[in-house]
Amino acid sequence: QSHYVACMTAMLSQMDAEHYSSYIAVFPSRPELMDFLMETFILFKDLIGKSVYPLDWVVMNMVQNREFLRAINHFAATLRETFLQQSSFELQLWNNYFHLAVAFLTQDSLQLENFSQAKRTSILAKYGDMRATIGAAIRDMWYNLGHRKIEFIPAMVGPILEMTLVPELELRRSTIPIFFDMMLCEYQLTESFSRFEDEILRKLDSEVEGGRGDEQYKQLFESILLDCCRGHPELAEPGENFVALVTGLLERLLDYRAVMNDENKTYSMSCTVNLLNFYKEIDRQAMYIRYLYKLKDLHVSYENYTEGAYTLLLHARLLKWSDEPNTAPMQGSHSPSLHTQRQLKEALYNQIISYFDQGKMWEEAIHICKELAEQYESEIFDYEMLSDILQREAKFYEKILKVLRPSPDYFAVGYYGQGFPTFLRNKVFIYRGKEYERREDFEMQLLSPFPNAEKLKSTSPPGQDITTSLGQYIQCFTVQPVEEAKVRFKDRSIPEQITNFYKANHVQSFSYSRPFQKGPKDPDNEFATMWIERTTFTTAYPLPGILRWFAVTSTATTIISPLENAIETMTRTNEKILSEINRHQNDPSLPVNPLSMLLNGIVDPAVMGGFAKYETAFFQASYLQEHPEDQASVERLKDLIAWQTPLLAEGIRIHGRKVPEELRPFHERMEQCFDQLRTKVESQYGVREMISLEDRRGGRPRSVAWAPEWERLSRATDRQATPTPRPVTCGPEGEERRSERKENRSSTFFGQRRQEQRQSISEPLEPKDERQRLSRNMSDSTAGGLEGRPTASREAASAQPGTAGQSLSPTGFGGRVKSASKALPLPRRINPAVYETFLEPGD
């Protein structure tokens, strides 16, 4: 074939303009001439596309292209003279010419920027830039079409776009105005240019992804078309909107292409989301779905199953539960065999459930299961599938309670400096870490795509000297999710396995606290002047979502006073103790070491500085004289300190039961330290006794409840006097009383549920009866909970509800509150049997 092409090239090189004219003239009729031109255009395009000679045979390629260009220009003249008039116009012939000319212009052997500087200079000196020549010819041929242009829209939009994307400045300047001519032509006929717009958006996506286009093209496209549109008043506004649309797409496509082949696909995912959001905004569903599946495949390749599920869910939400045919182009391997929207949506839902399961997002999988179950039960009545989906749903409930699921860490990452791509430049993102991912590992992965970036050591927002510099600066620090209040959890005792999920998921706000000293520093007590600057970041979307990170859309900064900081610290400590207690009660097989370190860090005098410093800083009369508005906060802090004592007591009881013999001396020393601490706290801040909640369903162990339950319980009991407990007797009656006490040790709320079941459905429980039942349960439990104490003391406690009754705590803890007494006796060693009734309902 190369020999044939060489012979044809040699023959064409011997022909001049007169030879071409004579040859054209010998055709006896227009149809025969049209057939000759049609076959010649096809032949030339085929030879150009096949690249007969290797690319490094520069001379042979350039000689062939020079002769082909001369022949094409002669045949173009024949087109204008013979096949342009109204009666002789041939659409297909003109169409073939344009496709041949564009193919010639875009062939690899003419792309001079791919050659070395020396070779490029040699080619330009001997042959010139043939792209500019053929580009000018294409432009002139287009303008010669006149009113026939509309017949080439939108078919010629793609070839013209391919031509304008060639990186040659003069070629671009001369051919980009063709786009405005297309817009004007269609607008004059239809008062819109929607066909042109749809085609250029569709073609632009594939062309830029294929490697064509750059920042210079975006700027030229914007400036040239804006100038053209502003010269025609009827196209000024729609033209500007169109230019903004195309340049916005170009910016996102160029960002996507820049990171598409990186080893680290983090930024490729982000650019993919930018593109699919863009296509969603302009209502291009086919392109939107195309990028959804690109994003899903990226997530699955990195085992981001949760994000992959959320991505597929976006497609599923576009479908209906109906037998209508699918209108959008199919994506994914399962799609071709699914003809209706119901079939496709069901298949997507099953895949989403599988991904959520792999990502340990069982709460989300349950939501999808419920929707599928509704369809199987009420719409298509497929009870076999209903049984399967309900069994899957039941397994997810079981996994929530039994499978360990660590909470992820969240990181704030800022990219500062002009050296970053536009989608990162001077922006802050919140990242969701993977299970057990250390910040050091996360930072290493973060910096790998930017080896020249400098890591900022400060967590404060950088100044303009950094944001406007040409370098790259990355800032990274850990942030805490800000949990939103869940109304359905209010006034309920919820297992930690359930509530912990919502503390770290479906979160859109994150906080970072930075301590600083304000005012004169007290060298002996830093707590007195330790203020907190708390910055709250709000992201564009909740996490987790279709990405492992989202951009921060707003920030807010608040200042926390030293007293408020102390209250927050005590609250977190108490919550941590409470969490450890419930964990060990729910799972006796847990190791005791974490509990040992937590308790010892609080009760050991060597590390008790913080507790004493609070007293020195805030409980002195001089502080309240200077800050009378803090009276309520001081009382709240005292209350938190008082409530820590029963929590520590229960934790030490559990520790004593589980500690190995070799650590028994350590436990005994911790008990001695706690006895001293309890004496001090109870004498100064009063006695607190917690109530435990025990659920007999499924053998679930008892657990300590949190704030909302105590508030409701205290309100219910403070309205009435505590009845005197009945004496405990031996024999059958004593057995009955013990059985009743055992029943009353169960959760207040679950116990109420069992009581309601004993009544007739038509006879609801009256509020008065409920209060009496609640009071009886509490008093009976008190009778059982005070075993081991003198009877006279129990009766005295019952006879004085004002001092021994339950009280509403400002901290949210509850149970029995006793007034502080300066003359409390030293605590004695308590029999372990007494601890078994610890945290049970009080008077």
Side-chain angles (χ1 to χ4, degrees), residues 722-746:
T722 306
T724 303
R726 290 174 291 179
V728 180
T729 59
C730 300
E733 184 179 356
E735 291 294 328
E736 182 180 352
R737 289 293 298 116
R738 284 194 291 272
S739 175
E740 186 175 354
R741 288 200 308 272
K742 184 178 179 181
E743 177 71 12
N744 289 336
R745 279 203 301 270
S746 63

Side-chain angles (χ1 to χ4, degrees), residues 748-762:
T748 303
F749 309 106
F750 294 137
Q752 175 182 344
R753 204 170 297 160
R754 285 192 293 270
Q755 179 71 14
E756 291 170 351
Q757 290 174 357
R758 298 191 188 105
Q759 298 193 18
S760 170
I761 297 177
S762 61

Side-chain angles (χ1 to χ4, degrees), residues 346-450:
E346 181 181 357
L348 287 174
Y349 269 19
N350 281 291
Q351 184 65 68
I352 290 167
I353 291 172
S354 176
Y355 284 159
F356 275 139
D357 186 17
Q358 291 174 279
K360 297 183 180 179
M361 296 286 289
W362 299 305
E363 288 81 355
E364 296 299 292
I366 287 170
H367 291 316
I368 307 299
C369 288
K370 290 182 182 296
E371 190 171 344
L372 277 176
E374 175 67 22
Q375 290 296 315
Y376 294 146
E377 182 179 10
S378 305
E379 295 295 331
I380 60 176
F381 302 98
D382 190 334
Y383 285 4
E384 184 176 357
M385 294 300 296
L386 175 63
S387 173
D388 291 342
I389 201 66
L390 290 177
Q391 290 180 51
R392 293 180 74 182
E393 185 179 342
K395 290 180 181 178
F396 295 145
Y397 280 114
E398 185 178 3
K399 286 181 177 181
I400 289 173
L401 293 176
K402 294 185 177 181
V403 178
L404 178 63
R405 184 167 48 168
S407 298
D409 289 330
Y410 287 92
F411 308 98
V413 180
Y415 299 88
Y416 300 104
Q418 302 299 312
F420 286 111
T422 54
F423 66 94
L424 294 176
R425 189 179 303 154
N426 293 330
K427 293 181 181 178
V428 180
F429 298 83
I430 301 296
Y431 283 70
R432 183 175 187 260
K434 295 187 175 182
E435 289 185 358
Y436 304 112
E437 185 172 25
R438 299 185 311 159
R439 195 182 73 174
E440 293 79 7
D441 298 334
F442 174 78
E443 288 180 351
M444 186 179 300
Q445 184 181 9
L446 195 70
L447 291 167
S448 61
F450 306 106

Side-chain angles (χ1 to χ4, degrees), residues 73-108:
N73 286 338
H74 283 297
F75 297 147
T78 303
L79 276 181
R80 290 194 302 270
E81 296 168 2
T82 311
F83 297 98
L84 184 58
Q85 303 303 318
Q86 179 70 25
S87 58
S88 60
F89 185 78
E90 291 293 342
L91 176 64
Q92 188 58 48
L93 185 60
W94 277 84
N95 197 56
N96 284 3
Y97 164 78
F98 282 123
H99 280 85
L100 167 62
V102 172
F104 179 87
L105 187 150
T106 57
Q107 63 177 303
D108 291 339

Side-chain angles (χ1 to χ4, degrees), residues 464-669:
Q464 288 189 353
D465 57 326
I466 290 180
T467 58
T468 59
S469 70
L470 299 179
Q472 296 177 339
Y473 300 87
I474 292 181
Q475 186 182 63
C476 178
F477 51 90
T478 305
V479 293
Q480 302 300 321
V482 179
E483 181 188 8
E484 295 183 2
K486 298 292 185 292
V487 177
R488 62 195 181 105
F489 290 166
K490 188 178 181 181
D491 297 339
R492 298 179 182 222
S493 178
I494 310 296
E496 269 190 316
Q497 297 92 324
I498 298 175
T499 57
N500 284 346
F501 172 81
Y502 295 99
K503 291 179 181 178
N505 295 281
H506 305 305
V507 183
Q508 200 167 354
S509 296
F510 305 84
S511 67
Y512 173 75
S513 299
R514 185 176 64 88
F516 68 97
Q517 294 288 336
K518 184 177 180 181
K521 184 177 180 180
D522 186 352
D524 298 325
N525 192 350
E526 62 178 6
F527 293 101
T529 56
M530 180 66 71
W531 292 69
I532 300 294
E533 179 189 78
R534 179 160 299 155
T535 303
T536 302
F537 303 95
T538 302
T539 54
Y541 306 96
L543 282 164
I546 62 173
L547 282 177
R548 295 194 74 88
W549 59 91
F550 286 119
V552 172
T553 56
S554 64
T555 59
T557 302
T558 55
I559 302 299
I560 309 298
S561 70
L563 179 56
E564 292 172 331
N565 182 32
I567 291 172
E568 288 187 359
T569 303
M570 284 299 302
T571 302
R572 283 195 302 268
T573 303
N574 289 357
E575 287 176 345
K576 195 169 184 179
I577 301 171
L578 181 68
S579 175
E580 282 296 309
I581 290 172
N582 287 334
R583 285 180 66 244
H584 282 273
Q585 287 176 340
N586 292 332
D587 187 1
S589 64
L590 288 175
V592 76
N593 291 346
L595 182 63
S596 300
M597 291 187 291
L598 174 64
L599 296 176
N600 190 61
I602 298 173
V603 303
D604 193 333
V607 292
M608 270 179 54
F611 179 82
K613 298 286 178 73
Y614 288 158
E615 295 179 319
T616 306
F618 309 117
F619 295 173
Q620 304 299 323
S622 58
Y623 179 84
L624 290 177
Q625 290 175 359
E626 296 176 6
H627 306 279
E629 71 280 1
D630 288 345
Q631 177 68 47
S633 297
V634 169
E635 293 301 323
R636 186 182 178 194
L637 181 57
K638 290 180 180 179
D639 199 54
L640 284 167
I641 295 172
W643 279 116
Q644 194 175 83
T645 302
L647 288 172
L648 290 171
E650 175 67 2
I652 290 174
R653 182 189 70 81
I654 295 174
H655 187 270
R657 191 178 64 209
K658 300 182 66 173
V659 69
E661 284 302 318
E662 59 269 21
L663 292 179
R664 181 62 60 181
F666 166 78
H667 174 75
E668 290 176 354
R669 182 181 182 282

